[in-house]
Amino acid sequence: RNFDALFRPQSVALIGASIKLGSVGYILGRNLRSAGFGGPVWLVNPKYGDIEGHPCHPTVADLPSAPDLAIIATPPETIPELISQLGARGTRAVVVITAGVRGEFKNMMLEASRPTLLRIQGPNCVGLLLPHIGLNASFSPQPLTGDIAFVSQSGALITGIIDWAKARNVGFSHVISLGDMADVEFGDLLDHLGADTKCRAILLYMESLTHAPKFMSAARRAARSKPVIVVKSGRSATGARAAHSHTGALAGADAAYEAAFRRAGLLRVRELGDLFSAAEILARHPTFTGERLAILTNGGGAAVMATDHLTHSGGRLAELSKGTIAALEEVLPPTWSKGNPVDIIGDADAERYHRSLDILLKADDIDAVLVMNCPTSLTSNIVIAEHVVETVEAHRRTNALTKTVITVWLGEAASQDARALFAGNDIAAFETPEDGADAFMHLVNRARVREQLLHTPPSVPEFTFDRGKADEILGGALASGRSALTEVEAKLLLTAYGIPVVPTDIASKPQDVERLATAILADHASCVIKILSDDISHKSDVGGVRLALESAQEARAAAESMLRRVAELRPHAIIQGFTVQPMVTRRNAHELILGMSVDPTFGPLMMFGAGGIAVEVMRDTAHALPPLDFNLARELMQRTRIWSLLQGYRGHPAADIERIAECLVRLSYLVAHHPQVRELDINPLLAAAHGLVALDARVKVVDPTIEPRVRMAIRAYPSEWISDIEVGCVGRVRLRPIRPEDKALYQTFFCNVTAEDRRLRFFGAGQKLEGSFFAQLTQIDYAREMAFVAISRDSGALLGVVRLVVDSSYERGEFAILVRSDLKGRGLGWCLMEHVIKYARSEKLHEVQGLALAGNTRILQMSRELGFSVSIDPGDVAIHRMTLDLKSSAL
């Protein structure tokens, strides 16, 4: 909303302009006037009649007309009234430079902006720089014009990155200082920048988030179309907190951010220098062809350093084919390395570099080349650099350059001119072998997260859950005033979601333990008893667990001993009794932990890792945001060390990976469906080659009507919108939200849509029908978009789809509909439209809109019959706009 005024203003006003040299108001005015902005720049300050020959107006009311964008650098107490005046005058975007706009002033400022939906960047920010239109509304130097957007919460970093970029000939499309983020924040900007064609990559410096669901939605959308790179400060834990579960104790704030960035498809880098190098490599090499890297060098030691860093970071060297090695043999001395890295020896001259690089750029077994040079007195650094540039340019001229070329010229002053030469010829240049390897891995990791973002997971069975039983268990605990389920209740909760558990009974006294143990030992070799107390979460800490008890008498004695020990260590703990269960042992089984905790920013956070009593010592865990599918569950597992053991080793068979993944998926549904759950552990989950079983579980609960749970950062699959209908001669149809695995159905569906219907749907020849296109259609964010598919209950074929994309304010949505060409006019489109309108109403949207070509008479007529108003679009007479006011209309 109103971002056109912020990023495409036709006029600008500076309120707080000054004649005082060095003041913020003076520097802002100088930058606004000198950067090349084509529209009027008006100055406002009642103290001056003019500033350096430019008229200065006393108040906002005295301006010639309403500025599209206003820059404010006045005291905090003046801000709310200025916002009110500007909004009433017609301004729709403001950058507040002023610091100290907090508390009452901040609230008053936001209240003043609401009636006109005026957008506020800041306060306490450096400003806004838009080099494409010559706008420097900041007190920072003017950057070069380019296609990288930089968004930062730190104003100090703005000037630093601009200086860094100029030295490397890297330009920006946007430089945006967020400041205190009273209004405009990361989610808003990712929404805008993700769709801005002037911006090819987005760099973020982040300290905190204010609206995680909006951020996740916008980030996932932006990352599908361009690289989004983030450096997040404050990675260390702020301090351990008391937690009911291992999961809560192990999940720090940074784990949640890491999980969020990974899920959104963002490339996270650890240090500010990495952000710069990522920007460098992405500025030079927007495309990426593969992970096979060749290193060309005149120094073996430097090559070893680069190789070590590459492999430590998860990269790999290319294996040179016999043909490539033979070609190199013809141009290199006998003492060259005979493999990759390609060490062409310390006396290598420019011609040797040229011939070697030319061969590597032509080789089919290589995707990228890291060219390194260690300075020697035998030949000139700059001459070698010139030959490398000429070689790359020769391949560019013939459109034969399909590989990434990265350069590392070691040394300071001696190699500075060479690096400048590379930068001037659009070749990434770095100073150390480690920097070069890191740069290549930035490309690799960006490609990996994008592949995961667009990956279609395997089909997920339509799980059945007993949600009613789960609510009954959770409600019973809350009704009795408890904040934790008993072990038996926790296991019953897991059973309601299809997670296998070991049978468990409760004994109130040692005598009852003996009785239950007798029954268990009739079918099992041994049993386990555990203390049962709401006051003791980690039972093993107080000797509250006894394993492998082989007789009922031994079990009773163990219970009596346990009571004495617990009374000594936890004298105030209230003991409800004991749990008694069979001792489950499985050959070559692994002890795993699955869990969930609630992060204050991102909400529910899943955990997987190595389990057992040493879980907090081993700390072999990984985290992910729910909901999970099988693909996401496997990726979560792969980020732990125990994953390698689960694959099988030295005669130990592989664990049942699919069953573990299914357990994670089921657990994520439990988390999504029940906001009462605040912490949950399954520890250990015993996983073997054939099946798995949960031996212990603990669950912390809170009444969500009293203390609402932080909203899930990613919306779960809305299964409540599945319905079965009968459509005339079409037959039995299931309407349901689209799923990622519908990609194959979608591809078949388009085979049954005529070219003319595609033209009407896409306003032209239609999209290129390839995998990434279908992935974008089927992998949607249910928090911002909905697509309902009509599936034949008889054949399973996709018959039609209606889509609704909602704006960032979540007030209006735009629909589009497409029905298989041979089924048009049979009522299916009507049913789909009714379904999506009902959904829009349930989401409390204000309005649903759609666009149609004038020749698409069928959709225009149906829209009128459904209550839409139809008008010619002001921007194009060939397009009609259909609008349904949901606040006043009814089906």
Side-chain angles (χ1 to χ4, degrees), residues 625-877:
L625 297 180
L628 300 178
D629 55 32
F630 274 86
N631 179 56
L632 292 168
R634 289 175 66 91
E635 192 276 334
L636 171 62
M637 296 159 65
Q638 288 167 1
R639 287 188 279 118
T640 60
R641 296 190 301 276
I642 200 171
W643 168 258
S644 298
L645 299 179
L646 294 175
Q647 309 309 300
Y649 61 97
R650 292 185 179 177
H652 292 251
D656 191 341
I657 299 295
E658 290 307 304
R659 287 286 286 144
I660 302 172
E662 180 185 329
C663 193
L664 280 165
V665 174
R666 287 180 176 274
L667 189 62
S668 79
Y669 275 99
L670 189 160
V671 168
H673 291 162
H674 302 285
Q676 305 97 317
V677 178
R678 302 303 166 93
E679 289 183 25
L680 185 151
D681 268 357
I682 301 174
N683 183 37
L685 180 77
L686 207 61
H690 303 289
L692 48 82
V693 62
L695 302 187
D696 198 1
R698 55 177 63 88
V699 180
K700 180 181 178 180
V701 294
V702 173
D703 187 343
T705 63
I706 298 174
E707 185 183 328
R709 190 173 74 181
V710 178
R711 177 183 165 188
M712 287 178 62
I714 299 175
R715 193 165 179 174
Y717 182 78
S719 56
E720 65 273 18
W721 283 94
I722 299 175
S723 65
D724 294 322
I725 60 173
E726 190 81 24
V727 184
C729 54
V730 176
R732 298 183 307 144
V733 173
R734 167 161 289 186
L735 301 181
R736 62 164 174 80
I738 202 164
R739 295 195 296 244
E741 63 265 31
D742 291 331
K743 179 179 175 182
L745 289 177
Y746 229 116
Q747 290 171 309
T748 304
F749 168 71
F750 264 87
C751 295
N752 293 291
V753 176
T754 65
E756 174 61 12
D757 284 344
R758 291 183 196 174
R759 184 187 71 83
L760 293 174
R761 166 63 177 87
F762 295 108
F763 290 24
Q767 298 290 328
K768 186 176 182 181
L769 302 182
E770 55 187 17
S772 59
F773 169 64
F774 291 115
Q776 291 186 33
L777 290 178
T778 54
Q779 297 184 36
I780 67 172
D781 181 356
Y782 301 114
R784 287 279 302 280
E785 185 176 354
M786 178 54 70
F788 291 116
V789 291
I791 305 294
S792 169
R793 296 291 284 164
D794 297 321
S795 67
L798 195 158
L799 309 178
V801 60
V802 64
R803 190 173 301 271
L804 184 73
V805 179
V806 185
D807 66 6
S808 60
S809 65
Y810 217 78
E811 293 181 354
R812 60 181 56 86
E814 181 178 341
F815 80 89
I817 186 169
L818 186 62
V819 173
R820 215 169 71 180
S821 297
D822 60 327
L823 298 178
K824 291 166 61 176
R826 300 190 185 185
L828 182 59
W830 183 277
C831 294
L832 284 166
M833 285 298 299
E834 284 188 323
H835 203 62
V836 80
I837 291 170
K838 183 179 179 182
Y839 173 79
R841 291 185 187 282
S842 74
E843 293 292 297
K844 297 181 171 53
L845 298 184
H846 297 171
E847 184 179 270
V848 171
Q849 291 186 351
L851 299 175
L853 292 174
N856 197 347
T857 56
R858 189 181 296 274
I859 185 63
L860 293 172
Q861 180 59 33
M862 182 172 67
S863 297
R864 291 188 180 97
E865 293 174 2
L866 285 166
F868 285 76
S869 63
V870 180
S871 61
I872 297 175
D873 189 81
D876 191 338
V877 295

